[in-house]
Amino acid sequence: MKKDLISIQDLEAKVIADIIDLTDEIKSNKAKYADALKGRSIGLIFQKPSNRTRVSFEIGMVQLGGHAIYLGPNEIAMGKRESTKDVAAVLSRYLDGIVARTYKHEDVKELAKYAVVPVINGLSDRAHPCQALGDIFTIKEKFGGFKGITLSYIGDGNNVLSSLMCASAKVGLDMKVATPKGYEPSKELIAIAKGFAKVSGSKLDFSNDPKWTAKGANIIYTDVWVSMGQEKETKAREKAFKNFQVNDSLMKLANKKCLVMHCLPAHRGQEITDSVIDSKNSIIYDQAENRMHVQKAILLMLLK
Ligand code: CP
Ligand code: NVA
């Protein structure tokens, strides 16, 4: 049966561990995998803009000997020019896999339902699994493991946090989260992630206090206050998030060697200051690079 990557919740902890191991192997043996997906093709259906996801999937596929075709919002207009079902069925006749970046999470699920080939979620309004897997790999690379490490996320309870907290809970990484009131992840997802944390033995704590969350952190992670598709909420969000900026005074509360992560794109001067994002402890570009290595592992596991 074909396998998809829609949400972190669908992955067993063992599969996440296997992806991390394969990523490590691919990253250090690039030449060995140069023909691994020779003659294979993927399509990238993107309803929203992208730098990292699009480029890292395209180049990752090329580095595996395969080919990628970008299908932007005006190309196939999934759900407008023709139904998602027809898009899925037709593209399955040409391609070996599909990466989709959609507004609605339900759309990527529908695409996966009707596609005969694997579908990878390249970000929806509810999840960003490739980001979370890249981030978990990056954290393992920096710390050598997860035990006793605290990842503190300060910001919006959005797609990036949703996937990251599930991934952290699955691998046994402790996480503290601060969101403004009303911007928490859904209660259902928190319960699911806490269930994973119970199994792995990790801690997962939520608050509305960025200072409490920053205290003792080994890593501070943030993301934009206004995600793609939420532009109309900009004013209200800027007001709600004004005390959630990751700046020098917040960083002082963290562990001395605390690393800084951001999935990017960043709104510098808003959710994070230049002084923090450009500091020597910032690992944002390693994170961005690792997206490509982890996605090569995902492609190999799903398409081989
Ligand atoms: N982090 C991330 O997914 O970046 P893009 O939106 O540029 O793909
Ligand atoms: N939360 C952001 C992440 C971008 C990679 C968004 O959805 O716009």
Side-chain angles (χ1 to χ4, degrees), residues 45 47 76-92 98 100 102 104-116 119:
I45 302 179
Q47 296 181 338
I76 55 174
M78 191 171 77
K80 289 188 197 128
R81 186 166 177 265
E82 58 187 323
S83 69
T84 301
K85 180 181 176 176
D86 290 342
V87 169
V90 171
L91 288 181
S92 295
I98 299 169
T102 60
K104 290 196 217 112
H105 189 71
E106 292 310 315
D107 288 346
V108 72
K109 278 173 74 177
E110 197 183 351
L111 188 70
K113 181 178 166 191
Y114 292 111
V116 178
V119 171

Side-chain angles (χ1 to χ4, degrees), residues 14-28:
K14 167 81 172 73
V15 173
I16 298 180
D18 289 347
I19 293 172
I20 291 172
D21 288 348
L22 183 58
T23 304
D24 198 32
E25 153 82 6
I26 292 171
K27 188 172 176 179
S28 42

